[in-house]
Amino acid sequence: MVQVRLTGVSKKYGDVPAVEKLDLLVRDREFLTILGPSGGGKSTTLRLIAGLETPDEGDIHIDDLRINELPPRDRNMTMVFQNYALFPHMTAEANIAFPLVVKHTPKEEVEKRVKEVSSLLKISHLLKRKPKEMSGGEQQRVALGRAIVKKPNVFLMDEPLSNLDAALRTEMRMELKRLQKQLQTTLIYVTHDQTEALSMADRIAVIKDGKLLQIGSPEEIYNQPADAWIASFIGNPPMNLISCTLARNNDRTTLHAAEDCVLEIPKSLISKLTDLEIGAKLKLGVRPEDIEIGSKGATLFCEAEIYLLESTGDSTVIDFKMGDSIVKLKTKAGYKAKIGERAQLVFTGSKMLLFDAETGRAL
Amino acid sequence: MAKRKNRLRYLVLIFASWWVIYPIATSVQESFEIDLGPLYSGRGVSFVGQFFQGTGGLMPTAINYLQAFRIEAWPRLVFNSSIIALSSVSIALIVGIPAAYSFAMYKYRGKTILTIGLLALRTISPFAVLVPFFIVYGQLGLFDTFQGMAIIYLVLNLPIVILMMRGFFKDIPKEIYEAAFLSGASDMTIMRRIALPLVIPGMVAVVLFAFVATWNEYLYALILTGARSKTVSRGVWSGFGESIQGFKILDFDELNTAGTLALIPAIVIVLLVRKYLVRGVTLGAAK
């Protein structure tokens, strides 16, 4: 059982807070991804767990052991870095063996483990090479080998795939996930790439400005973002956030998005709005794939002007100009339309989200 | 336009080369000459002022070199200088590398003051401390000894070693240290097995700088050495075979021979470690 628990952890660099009052529970054998923008405190969180930084406040526990002051070498964690941080003067073999050698593991044991790990990672043919004689992907595998050889309690990875090219990155993603399931080891993975987080993680923790905004499964994060910022950070293209005001007319509750766009609120959302006053500022969140073009007599529609067309190969993204804001719509590839045309946008009501315009919290 | 600029460049470079090479060339040439003037003139030895004046010579000749080795003065000087320089540089490395590592890696109280102190040590004029050293060395029995000279040259070598090595250690990406830390290595292991092998090119450059600085040092050697531990740099000036009480006419051929011989070790070392030297000097810049 390896559970990592952060309670009320804060860390400042000078006067700049990097992490503020962070509570985070990493479950046993879980693949947890810490997702957030650059400079948001993700890496600091990871370094705090690794022991490369000491928290100013709060506690870090592994299971029931408080490890605030435990030096990194005694934590039995390993870390994979973005630049791999292989020891340049050692061969791949020596790099992988290093964590065992410094613990005075018997020679036969070291050889056996290095052999196991290198066949697991398919790098047996690289063992005699030095880092500069290997490609980025190969170095990445050696770095992974060095991390898993000593059978740590926790793997820590700080953007390990960022330096790889796109094809290799996709391949390594799946391989990492498979490896983690095979080794049954807790893995904490830091990334700013939402695709990476969504495709690999068991759970995602979204951290911004040193604070934990939401933690949950990729589906939860994608479908029920707790916050307008998360909604706009995740998805490709991200969720549309349409500014609108609440209006009540007799017993109808409507949202005014732009001059010529009045949306009737679906029943599923009405209950969340009962406390709000008329004129309240809201943000309507709709994923680009939940908007359609056409008029099927739907109640939730707006008319808008086509502003831009982007083709991504497997789909077409159409930008509409609605009032002052741009609304993106994702449809199948090869959709024909002209810039400047007007079209009806139909919202698939069940997947609409509402956020408070001021606080950004989901309603 | 470009051609003209190039021509100007060549002129400047030719002048600079001449400026550097001329004294050395003269010295080398003189060392292969012997003045036969006195034999031909029939008027005996002539002087201008108090200086011996030659009127004709023979070149080339190896006589000056044969002389240097026959009376065993030169090998003795080289032996003295080598022992002193090697032991001083070794001590500087043994003490200085861990110090440099700690400066580069750890945060502790007084680090800044220590760094400034080290720099200050380099800036103190040797003239200010020569006399005190002379007196103290006399009292401690270190005057004219190898130990004494090895210790005094730490004043030169320790700051070089510490300040340069600190820079090299700092140039290693911090993730490499962190990866080693998380692998479970102790501080000592990290220094020995990770940091040191990575800074070897730099270390070679440092050793070379320190060695050459020690080899060429003259002032401390002049005051603090006598007949037993006289160094090459002193020998170059005072010639061979001089004893402390002895008196000797200045013989320019002999001085030039000593000067030429003194160049050889430095040239050999630089040629041997040239590859490391370039990498060491540019370490960090070429990342």
Side-chain angles (χ1 to χ4, degrees), chain A residues 127-147:
Chain A
L127 288 181
K128 297 289 172 222
R129 293 199 207 162
K130 291 201 172 169
K132 63 167 182 259
E133 298 157 359
M134 292 185 268
S135 69
E138 289 168 345
Q139 290 187 38
Q140 173 70 73
R141 281 166 189 270
V142 175
L144 275 175
R146 186 177 64 186

Side-chain angles (χ1 to χ4, degrees), chain B residues 169-236:
Chain B
F169 284 132
K170 272 190 171 172
D171 281 344
I172 299 176
K174 78 175 196 306
E175 288 88 357
I176 288 198
Y177 289 117
E178 290 171 351
F181 256 126
L182 282 160
S183 296
S186 67
D187 292 29
M188 204 54 193
T189 312
I190 295 175
M191 188 181 92
R192 254 191 23 233
R193 308 198 47 166
I194 307 293
L196 263 183
L198 288 177
V199 298
I200 279 178
M203 198 167 88
V204 171
V206 171
V207 167
L208 196 73
F209 283 139
F211 188 85
V212 171
T214 313
W215 186 270
N216 289 337
E217 203 284 333
Y218 179 68
L219 194 59
Y220 287 119
L222 179 68
I223 304 297
L224 298 176
T225 62
R228 262 176 305 168
S229 63
K230 198 164 96 172
T231 63
V232 168
S233 62
R234 258 198 84 182
V236 169

Side-chain angles (χ1 to χ4, degrees), chain B residues 92-217:
Chain B
L93 287 180
I94 292 166
V95 179
I97 287 177
Y101 188 73
S102 96
F103 272 130
M105 296 295 294
Y106 307 115
K107 286 180 191 155
Y108 47 86
R109 226 183 233 270
K111 197 163 106 170
T112 327
I113 293 193
L114 282 173
T115 318
I116 293 169
L118 270 176
L119 280 171
L121 209 58
R122 284 298 278 142
T123 59
I124 290 173
S125 163
F127 294 101
V129 291
L130 261 179
V131 174
F133 266 129
F134 182 72
I135 294 167
V136 171
Y137 265 45
Q139 286 166 349
L140 293 176
L142 287 171
F143 177 78
D144 196 19
T145 58
F146 288 156
Q147 310 90 286
M149 292 316 289
I151 292 169
I152 198 80
Y153 286 140
L154 285 180
V155 174
L156 290 178
N157 293 335
L158 255 185
I160 298 183
V161 169
I162 295 179
L163 293 174
M164 288 184 71
M165 292 300 286
R166 180 186 68 155
F168 295 139
F169 284 132
K170 272 190 171 172
D171 281 344
I172 299 176
K174 78 175 196 306
E175 288 88 357
I176 288 198
Y177 289 117
E178 290 171 351
F181 256 126
L182 282 160
S183 296
S186 67
D187 292 29
M188 204 54 193
T189 312
I190 295 175
M191 188 181 92
R192 254 191 23 233
R193 308 198 47 166
I194 307 293
L196 263 183
L198 288 177
V199 298
I200 279 178
M203 198 167 88
V204 171
V206 171
V207 167
L208 196 73
F209 283 139
F211 188 85
V212 171
T214 313
W215 186 270
N216 289 337
E217 203 284 333

Side-chain angles (χ1 to χ4, degrees), chain A residues 47 50-52 72-73 77-79 81 83-90 98-103 146 150 156, chain B residues 172-190 192-198 279:
Chain A
R47 295 172 61 82
L52 297 170
R73 74 172 69 91
M77 299 178 179
T78 48
M79 190 149 164
F81 296 86
N83 59 9
Y84 320 133
L86 292 176
F87 309 131
H89 58 298
M90 294 183 184
F98 187 79
L100 301 176
V101 172
V102 298
K103 289 288 178 204
R146 186 177 64 186
K150 75 166 188 179
L156 305 170
Chain B
I172 299 176
K174 78 175 196 306
E175 288 88 357
I176 288 198
Y177 289 117
E178 290 171 351
F181 256 126
L182 282 160
S183 296
S186 67
D187 292 29
M188 204 54 193
T189 312
I190 295 175
R192 254 191 23 233
R193 308 198 47 166
I194 307 293
L196 263 183
L198 288 177
R279 267 174 64 199

